[in-house]
């Protein structure tokens, strides 16, 4: 890199003006960007920017006459003190004096700061005496840290050396205290960034595994050893040469992304927001169809922060235990000739044992499972584990002894607890299963999956492992799990359910093939292997059926029952499905989905026990519900004579679609409803079915669905289900199941306002006002073309599956399209998955028939036009 032509030292004295310096700085920045695009060394690029600012500050220091203030020193502190500057990084300065500042010096300092502001440089400056530095550094760890990284740019060298002498003394910040506070600071930083680091919009600097974690390693060790670089730490035995190169490599990867992010946003951003991911990926040279470039970049990022996280944890633990000697106990308990318990951690006692005996890597986790006292792995053992992992020449699963130990872990009552988590975190799973190594850091460019594929799978396994403790949250899964004969089959299916993500083809089908081969390799019976493979292949089926199909339809239940075949498969699939939904996104699970899955489970269980050859008689079911409803109403003092005339107005599908309790609720209120020219709007506060029900009785009209969902949308509620039924005398008997946006039930104070709003809009449907809801920022990069699918026709009804971008007002727009085509809406199953609306609508023509092929094509064209993202 030819820096000299851009060096501020080359600027002529008469050219040291704000316009010229601005132009010079821009030319340097443009040159650096070209160097970056040519993939020149990022470390050199970042350090050259710091050098440029050093030389510019030196010229400006002299320009304002501060070179005549002989006792003053200009210091770079913080990241700039480390000699690192990204395009929009803060330039942190400390102007230091031994004793104090004269009025003349203060005026010149003011001129310097004003110059820097006029140049639009992001400067953070402080003006202190040595005494101030000592006092403020002792009081504030952040100030202390910035001074530990201070570097002289210009001025009195003796004053700078005095500062170094003061802050190097043990009483300034004792090494152990500094370490403790920095660890607490890191914990708080991670907590603020959601802890795990696998955020969809990660913080490159402050998140778990980010640049700050690398700096924390350096800070605590430099403070203790008085070292000036990570490389120097290798001479103290704190960090090995290999670890140093790995830290440096990770830092370079993160620096590359940060440099690109600053360039794209033109501001000091550290969060890799959706808005910028595509442009950053392009600047970094990633290519591919659709979102492949972003996925490749994010995979690299997640793999990098995983390495940083592992190094940070190991080195800080090693510093605490081996360097500072902070071991909680000196008691040791031998496990065997090679392992012992040290405090609450396991320690390898035979150096190099992992490399000579790879099966011992797996045996380590069996010991952890065997003894509940063990909560982690001792730092020196972690180092041994990392070294052995890097020396492997083939996959651990190819070693017969390893396979036996792996299955011992999977079958162990505590094996999927701490041992599985540690195997995942320390890369043992990736060293054991070839397919797992491919999904490490694999993300999907959507808002549904909040975690990488490997992180999601780990969370899923933890959900299943915790079923015995989650009776309150998941009572059915709790009961089923207790009765499973071989839970290891469920855990193996968990490991493989998404393992083919990112491959060409259907990941469920491909994963099932991998799972079957894995089971055969590990000595499971053919039947056991087929059960695991089936679970992998069908792991989405129950969720799709419950959320996107009409499970009140016996044919839907029969089709699903034929898929699961027996109660054993149903039980395993239910446990896997619940955990899969819960582990996908913190906001995904709600009581409504829980209710749907339980309903599907029990209906399928009843069907399986009755026998698929004996489907339920619908008329018998209707008569049973009517009798139960009449009994309840009689207890409320409502006679059958009052009820029968009302019920004669209802079609049979009403009694089939609603439960006895719902029929009683409707009937009781309808009998008291006198003015049938006005709508009756009921909102249930009974949360037993997982959502708040809005029942609407009104004279049938084309815009009923779109009008009601518009008002629901205006109240920032989400529709999850809709039944649009008509009476024999053309009155609507419709129910909308809704939840708050966060998945909770409707707030009490909203109920009355919502009832009034729906009533008003039904009386004046032509003047419905839709509040203009601005599209959420996080959804903007995810727009995609809608997909319209016509499913097999049933009972003179046409089923339409609509997958579209979940823009505000989408349901009202779809309802309007149905009206324009003269269609009657029978049922709507609404499912929002991240940025995607995946809805099922069952419609018929005005004559009560299914759509013809020509009508389907016309409807599809209208829906595509209405739902396609605007340019």
């Amino acid at each position: 890199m030819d820096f000299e032509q851009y060096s501020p030292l080359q600027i002529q004295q008469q050219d040291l003006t704000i316009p010229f310096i601005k132009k010079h700085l821009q030319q340097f920045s443009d040159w650096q960007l070209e160097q970056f695009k040519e993939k020149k060394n990022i470390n050199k690029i970042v350090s050259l920017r710091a050098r440029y600012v050093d030389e510019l500050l030196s010229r400006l220091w002299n320009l304002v006459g501060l070179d005549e203030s002989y006792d003053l020193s200009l210091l770079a502190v913080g990241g700039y003190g480390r000699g690192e500057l990204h395009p929009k990084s803060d330039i942190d300065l400390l102007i230091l004096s031994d004793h104090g500042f004269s009025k003349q010096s203060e005026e010149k300092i003011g001129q310097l700061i004003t110059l820097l502001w006029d140049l639009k440089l992001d400067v953070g400056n402080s003006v202190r005496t040595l005494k101030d530095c000592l006092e403020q550094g002792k009081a504030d760890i952040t100030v202390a840290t910035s001074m530990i990284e201070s570097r002289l740019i210009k001025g009195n060298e003796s004053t700078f050396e005095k500062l170094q002498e003061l802050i190097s003394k043990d009483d300034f910040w004792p090494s152990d205290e500094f370490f403790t506070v920095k660890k607490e600071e890191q914990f708080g930083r991670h907590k603020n960034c959601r802890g795990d680091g696998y955020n969809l919009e990660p913080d490159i600097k402050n998140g778990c595994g980010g640049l700050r974690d690398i700096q924390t390693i350096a800070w605590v060790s430099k403070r203790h050893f008085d070292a000036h670089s990570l490389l120097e730490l290798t001479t103290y035995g704190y960090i090995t040469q290999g670890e140093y190169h790995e830290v440096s490599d990770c830092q370079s990867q993160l620096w590359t992304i940060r440099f690109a992010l600053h360039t794209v946003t033109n501001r000091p951003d550290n969060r890799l927001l959706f808005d910028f991911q595509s442009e950053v990926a392009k600047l970094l040279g990633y290519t591919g169809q659709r979102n492949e470039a972003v996925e490749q970049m994010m995979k690299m990022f997640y793999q990098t922060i995983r390495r940083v996280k592992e190094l940070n944890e190991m080195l800080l633990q090693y510093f605490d235990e081996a360097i500072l000697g902070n071991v909680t106990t000196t008691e040791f308990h031998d496990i065997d000739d090679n392992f012992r318990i040290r405090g609450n951690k396991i320690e390898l006692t035979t150096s190099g044992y992992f490399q000579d005996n790879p099966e011992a890597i797996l045996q380590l986790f069996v010991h952890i499972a065997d003894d509940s006292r063990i909560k982690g792995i001792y730092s020196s053992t972690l180092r041994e584990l990392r070294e052995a992992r890097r020396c492997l020449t083939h996959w651990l699963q190819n070693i017969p002894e390893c396979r036996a130990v792996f299955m011992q872990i999977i079958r162990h009552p505590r094996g999927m607890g701490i041992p599985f988590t540690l195997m995942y975190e320390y890369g043992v799973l990736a060293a054991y299963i070839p397919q797992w190594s491919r999904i490490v850091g694999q993300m999907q460019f959507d808002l549904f999956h909040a975690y990488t594929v490997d992180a999601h799978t780990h969370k899923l396994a933890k959900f299943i492992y915790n079923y015995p403790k989650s009776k309150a949250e998941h009572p059915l899964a709790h009961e089923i799990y207790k009765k499973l004969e071989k839970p290891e089959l469920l855990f193996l299916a968990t490991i493989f359910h998404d393992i083919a993500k990112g491959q060409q083809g259907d990941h469920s089908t491909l994963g099932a093939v991998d799972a079957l081969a894995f089971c055969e390799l590990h000595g499971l019976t053919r039947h056991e292997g087929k059960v695991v493979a089936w679970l992998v292949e069908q792991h989405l089926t129950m969720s799709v059926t419950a959320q996107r199909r009409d499970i009140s339809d016996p044919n839907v239940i029969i089709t699903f029952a034929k898929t699961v075949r027996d109660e054993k498969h149903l039980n395993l699939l239910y446990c896997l499905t619940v955990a899969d939904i819960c582990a996908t996104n913190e906001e995904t699970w709600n009581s409504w989905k829980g209710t749907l899955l339980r309903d599907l489970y029990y209906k399928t269980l009843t069907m399986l026990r009755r026998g698929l050859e004996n489907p339920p008689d619908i008329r018998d079911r209707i008569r049973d519900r009517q009798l139960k409803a009449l009994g309840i109403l009689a207890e409320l003092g409502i006679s059958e004579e009052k009820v029968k005339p009302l019920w004669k107005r209802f079609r049979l599908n009403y009694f089939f679609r609603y439960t006895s309790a719902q029929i009683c609720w409707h009937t009781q209120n309808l009998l008291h409803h006198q003015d049938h020219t006005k709508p009756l709007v009921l909102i249930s506060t009974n949360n037993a079915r997982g959502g708040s029900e809005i029942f609407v009785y009104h004279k049938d009209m084309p815009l009923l669905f779109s009008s009601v969902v518009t008002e629901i949308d205006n109240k920032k509620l989400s529709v999850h289900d809709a039944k649009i039924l008509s009476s024999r005398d053309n009155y609507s008997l419709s129910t909308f199941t809704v939840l708050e946006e966060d998945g909770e039930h409707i707030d009490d104070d909203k109920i009355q306002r919502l009832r009034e709003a729906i009533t008003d809009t039904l009386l004046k449907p032509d003047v419905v006002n839709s509040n203009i809801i601005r599209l959420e920022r996080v959804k903007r990069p995810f727009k995609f073309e809608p997909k319209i699918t016509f499913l097999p026709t049933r009972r003179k009804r046409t089923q339409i599956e609509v997958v579209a971008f979940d823009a505000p007002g989408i349901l009202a727009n779809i309802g309007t399209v149905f009206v324009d085509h003269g269609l009657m809406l029978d049922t709507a199953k609404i499912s929002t998955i991240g940025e995607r609306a995946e809805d099922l609508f069952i419609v018929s023509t005005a004559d009560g028939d299914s759509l013809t092929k020509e009508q389907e094509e016309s409807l599809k064209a209208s829906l595509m036009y209405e739902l396609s993202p605007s340019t």
Side-chain angles (χ1 to χ4, degrees):
M1 293 184 183
D2 188 11
F3 170 76
E4 297 307 321
Q5 61 179 313
Y6 295 100
S7 170
L9 300 181
Q10 304 299 324
I11 301 175
Q12 297 297 315
Q13 187 70 22
Q14 66 271 17
D15 291 331
L16 285 176
T17 64
I18 290 174
F20 186 89
I21 296 173
K22 278 185 175 181
K23 182 179 178 182
H24 193 271
L25 181 56
Q26 186 60 52
Q27 289 173 341
F28 171 73
S29 296
D30 292 343
W31 172 74
Q32 276 216 304
L33 182 56
E34 288 305 312
Q35 298 290 305
F36 181 77
K37 289 179 178 178
E38 292 172 11
K39 300 190 182 303
K40 295 295 176 64
N41 188 300
I42 186 63
N43 301 316
K44 187 75 171 175
I45 291 173
V46 169
S47 62
L48 277 180
R49 190 167 193 87
R51 178 181 166 188
Y52 179 94
V53 174
D54 283 357
E55 294 182 2
L56 178 61
L57 287 170
S58 296
R59 295 297 304 275
L60 297 179
W61 180 269
N62 292 344
L63 181 67
V64 299
L66 279 168
D67 54 328
E68 298 172 1
S69 300
Y70 301 109
D71 66 323
L72 299 187
S73 302
L74 177 64
L75 310 183
V77 294
Y80 178 38
R82 295 190 297 272
E84 306 163 4
L85 275 183
H86 289 263
K88 294 298 175 180
S89 292
D90 290 341
I91 301 169
D92 293 322
L93 302 174
L94 169 61
I95 298 176
L96 182 66
S97 169
D98 193 343
H99 302 295
F101 301 89
S102 67
K103 185 176 181 180
Q104 186 179 26
S105 293
E106 289 176 348
E107 289 176 354
K108 291 178 180 179
I109 291 170
Q111 292 174 29
L112 175 66
I113 301 304
T114 301
L115 256 178
L116 297 176
W117 286 347
D118 290 341
L119 289 170
K120 306 298 182 184
L121 293 174
D122 298 309
V123 176
N125 65 282
S126 53
V127 180
R128 301 189 187 115
T129 63
L130 287 172
K131 182 181 177 183
D132 294 334
C133 289
L134 190 61
E135 291 176 351
Q136 293 182 37
K138 285 184 175 182
D140 189 332
I141 189 70
T142 304
V143 174
T145 306
S146 70
M147 289 193 298
I148 288 172
E149 297 185 304
S150 59
R151 177 173 56 84
L152 180 66
I153 300 173
K154 189 76 173 175
N156 191 301
E157 187 171 346
S158 175
T159 304
F160 171 67
E161 289 174 352
K162 288 179 181 179
L163 175 67
Q164 295 298 301
E165 185 179 346
L166 285 173
I167 63 177
S168 65
K169 292 181 178 179
D170 289 340
D171 64 348
F172 176 65
W173 265 98
S175 181
D176 54 347
E177 290 183 21
F178 187 81
F179 170 80
T180 300
V181 175
K182 279 305 188 186
K183 279 268 289 184
E184 292 172 353
E185 186 181 79
Q186 177 173 286
F187 177 79
R189 188 172 64 248
H190 290 173
K191 188 175 180 181
N192 290 337
C193 295
R194 293 182 60 178
D196 50 42
Y198 302 100
N199 196 323
L200 284 169
E201 297 181 310
D203 189 316
I204 302 169
K205 182 178 179 180
N206 299 299
C208 187
L211 287 165
R212 274 281 187 254
D213 284 7
I214 295 176
Q215 291 157 12
T216 299
I217 297 170
W219 287 331
V220 299
S221 50
K222 286 179 182 179
R223 179 66 193 153
H224 184 80
F225 295 110
D226 194 25
H228 298 289
S229 67
L230 281 173
L231 180 60
E232 187 179 338
L233 293 172
T234 60
T235 63
Y236 294 95
Y238 172 58
I239 184 172
T240 67
Q241 286 283 346
E243 290 161 357
Y244 163 72
H245 289 300
E246 187 172 1
V247 170
S248 298
D249 179 58
C250 290
Q251 180 174 261
S252 296
Q253 297 277 23
L254 295 177
W255 273 1
T256 301
I257 296 177
R258 192 181 187 214
F259 189 100
L261 180 61
H262 281 200
T263 301
V264 166
T265 63
N266 198 34
R267 57 177 187 256
D269 280 327
N270 290 308
R271 281 193 67 195
L272 196 53
L273 301 179
F274 292 131
D275 312 51
F276 314 125
Q277 287 175 5
S278 181
E279 290 182 70
V280 170
K282 182 179 178 181
L283 183 56
L284 293 176
Y286 290 98
T287 59
Q289 299 296 318
R290 300 180 66 188
N291 302 312
E292 288 178 357
V294 171
E295 291 180 12
Q296 292 171 36
M297 176 186 71
M298 296 306 293
K299 185 169 186 175
M300 180 274 286
F301 170 77
Y302 289 128
Q303 289 175 342
T304 300
I305 64 171
R306 176 175 293 283
R307 292 163 66 194
V308 173
K309 180 177 180 291
E310 184 181 78
L311 284 162
N312 174 274
E313 182 179 337
M314 183 196 73
L315 291 171
L316 291 187
Q317 186 192 136
Y318 178 65
F319 185 85
D320 193 25
E321 295 170 344
I323 306 299
L324 297 181
N326 292 332
V327 180
T328 55
T329 179
T330 56
E331 294 184 12
F332 302 105
H333 301 279
D334 289 335
I335 298 174
D336 56 26
D337 292 341
N338 302 299
F339 294 98
R340 66 184 180 186
I341 300 174
R342 180 171 178 157
N344 63 354
K345 294 183 174 68
I346 188 170
E347 182 180 24
L348 180 69
T349 58
T350 309
S351 180
Y353 189 67
F354 287 147
Q355 294 190 37
D356 298 333
N357 304 273
E359 70 277 7
I361 294 175
L362 279 299
Q363 193 61 51
L364 169 77
F365 300 98
V366 174
H367 289 318
I368 295 173
D370 284 340
D371 198 319
S372 60
R373 294 175 296 175
I374 302 175
K375 305 301 180 185
I377 303 173
Y378 195 68
S379 55
S380 60
T381 306
L382 281 178
R383 180 168 275 163
E384 291 268 0
L385 179 60
R386 283 172 49 81
E387 290 300 317
R389 199 181 67 203
R390 281 159 173 72
C391 292
L392 289 172
T393 55
H394 43 258
W395 304 103
L396 287 172
Q397 72 169 21
N398 294 336
I399 304 172
E401 294 83 357
C402 288
R403 295 199 291 269
V405 182
F406 182 85
M407 288 309 300
Q408 190 178 348
I409 295 168
I410 296 295
R411 292 183 172 118
H412 197 289
R414 286 195 294 268
M416 296 302 291
I418 292 176
F420 183 77
T421 294
L422 296 178
M423 288 172 68
Y424 161 66
E425 290 182 346
Y426 296 134
V428 175
L429 276 179
Y432 190 87
I433 306 173
Q435 296 90 339
W436 185 278
S437 67
R438 292 200 300 260
I439 64 169
V440 173
Q442 177 70 42
M443 71 163 287
Q444 295 183 89
F445 192 73
D446 60 40
L447 287 175
F448 180 54
H449 296 87
Y451 309 102
T452 56
V453 178
D454 57 321
H456 158 70
T457 304
H458 170 249
K459 288 178 181 292
L460 196 163
K462 303 305 288 184
F463 264 104
I464 293 176
Y465 178 73
N466 286 316
Y467 275 152
K469 305 173 186 175
S470 58
K471 185 175 182 179
E473 295 85 358
H474 304 290
L476 179 56
H478 169 82
E479 291 302 322
I480 292 173
Y481 184 83
K482 288 196 306 183
K483 299 174 184 176
L484 293 181
E485 293 180 11
K486 295 184 176 180
E488 66 267 21
L489 303 183
L490 185 56
F491 285 119
L492 288 172
T494 293
I495 292 171
F496 280 88
H497 85 290
D498 274 352
I499 210 160
K501 284 278 183 77
Q503 306 302 304
Q504 295 296 321
D506 177 56
H507 79 279
S508 299
T509 303
L510 296 173
V513 174
D514 290 337
L516 184 59
F518 184 88
C519 291
E520 290 175 351
L521 180 66
H522 286 73
L524 276 73
T525 67
R526 181 69 179 171
H527 171 71
E528 291 171 337
K530 289 175 72 174
V531 169
V532 173
W534 180 87
L535 282 170
V536 173
E537 187 173 16
Q538 301 294 335
H539 75 272
L540 296 173
T541 302
M542 192 169 196
S543 175
V544 169
T545 303
Q547 297 181 69
R548 291 160 55 187
R549 298 292 179 265
D550 181 12
I551 61 175
S552 65
D553 185 345
N555 290 315
V556 172
I557 304 301
I558 290 172
T559 300
F560 179 68
K562 286 179 178 178
T563 301
V564 297
R565 299 196 297 273
D566 56 43
E567 192 171 333
K568 174 183 175 181
H569 285 78
L570 176 63
N571 286 340
L572 288 167
L573 187 58
Y574 178 82
C575 287
L576 182 61
T577 302
V578 171
D580 194 12
I581 295 173
C582 291
T584 299
N585 188 312
E586 290 180 1
E587 290 80 36
T588 299
W589 182 262
N590 57 44
S591 55
W592 172 243
K593 290 180 181 176
T595 298
L596 288 177
L597 287 171
R598 284 195 302 274
D599 284 354
L600 176 57
Y601 174 85
Y602 283 119
K603 287 178 179 179
T604 307
L605 186 62
T606 300
M607 183 73 72
L608 291 171
R609 289 177 176 176
R610 177 188 287 121
L612 296 178
E613 70 282 2
N614 299 309
D617 186 292
I618 293 176
R619 290 187 178 275
D620 285 344
R621 180 179 292 180
I622 289 172
R623 282 193 292 271
D624 181 62
R625 286 184 178 175
Q626 288 177 333
L627 287 172
K628 286 181 179 177
L630 287 171
I632 297 171
L633 289 167
E635 292 178 2
L636 296 173
I638 301 173
S639 66
E640 185 174 341
E641 289 73 21
K642 290 183 178 180
V643 173
K644 287 293 185 180
L646 175 66
W647 283 6
K648 283 181 180 179
R649 297 169 51 208
F650 301 163
R651 302 178 192 275
L652 287 180
N653 65 348
Y654 169 82
F655 299 99
F656 175 70
R657 291 297 187 89
Y658 288 110
T659 66
S660 300
Q662 290 171 312
I663 293 168
C664 289
W665 179 46
H666 301 163
T667 301
Q668 186 179 8
N669 284 279
L670 284 169
L671 288 174
H672 289 91
H673 184 61
Q674 300 300 320
D675 188 354
H676 290 265
T677 63
K678 294 182 178 180
L680 170 67
V681 179
L682 305 175
I683 302 180
S684 172
T685 56
N686 179 7
N687 299 330
R689 290 189 55 79
S692 298
E693 291 184 353
I694 302 172
F695 175 73
V696 176
Y697 169 83
H698 188 50
K699 192 71 177 176
D700 224 344
M701 62 181 197
L703 290 172
L704 188 143
F705 176 79
S706 58
S707 297
V708 173
V709 297
T710 296
E711 288 304 330
I712 292 172
D713 204 34
N714 287 344
K715 295 294 185 291
K716 296 185 177 180
L717 300 169
S718 299
V719 178
H720 288 263
D721 194 42
K723 297 185 185 76
I724 314 296
L725 306 181
S726 294
S727 69
R728 298 180 191 277
D729 53 351
N730 296 320
Y731 273 81
S732 171
L733 302 162
S734 305
T735 295
F736 301 82
T737 303
V738 302
L739 291 169
E740 294 280 358
E741 288 181 328
D742 60 2
E744 296 298 320
H745 295 278
I746 303 178
D747 290 340
D748 291 340
D749 61 346
K750 269 189 183 179
I751 290 178
Q752 184 59 34
R753 288 185 282 120
L754 179 59
R755 184 186 293 113
E756 292 172 356
I758 293 174
T759 301
D760 291 342
T761 196
L762 291 177
L763 290 173
K764 299 177 181 178
D766 295 333
V767 293
V768 174
N769 291 316
S770 176
N771 293 337
I772 298 175
I773 302 173
R774 190 165 178 262
L775 184 63
E776 295 175 55
R777 176 195 60 77
V778 294
K779 286 188 178 182
R780 290 176 204 153
F782 292 92
K783 293 184 180 181
F784 55 89
E785 290 298 320
K787 182 179 179 182
I788 313 297
T789 306
F790 291 91
L791 302 176
T793 299
R794 287 180 180 158
R795 297 195 311 274
K796 295 187 176 183
R797 298 287 185 270
T798 295
Q799 299 185 89
I800 310 164
E801 189 172 64
V802 177
V803 178
F805 181 70
D806 184 36
I810 181 174
L811 286 180
N813 294 341
I814 292 172
T816 302
V817 171
F818 290 157
V819 171
D820 292 343
H821 282 257
L823 301 180
M824 304 298 293
L825 179 60
D826 182 70
T827 297
K829 293 281 290 186
I830 313 302
S831 179
T832 302
I833 302 176
E835 75 286 355
R836 298 161 65 91
E838 300 191 358
D839 306 333
L840 176 75
F841 300 95
I842 301 177
V843 301
S844 62
T845 65
D847 298 328
D849 210 343
S850 58
L851 277 64
T852 65
K853 288 295 180 184
E854 292 76 14
Q855 289 172 321
E856 286 183 357
E857 289 302 317
S858 176
L859 176 62
K860 181 176 181 179
S862 296
L863 287 171
M864 290 292 290
Y865 177 80
E866 183 66 39
L867 301 177
S868 292
S870 57
T871 55

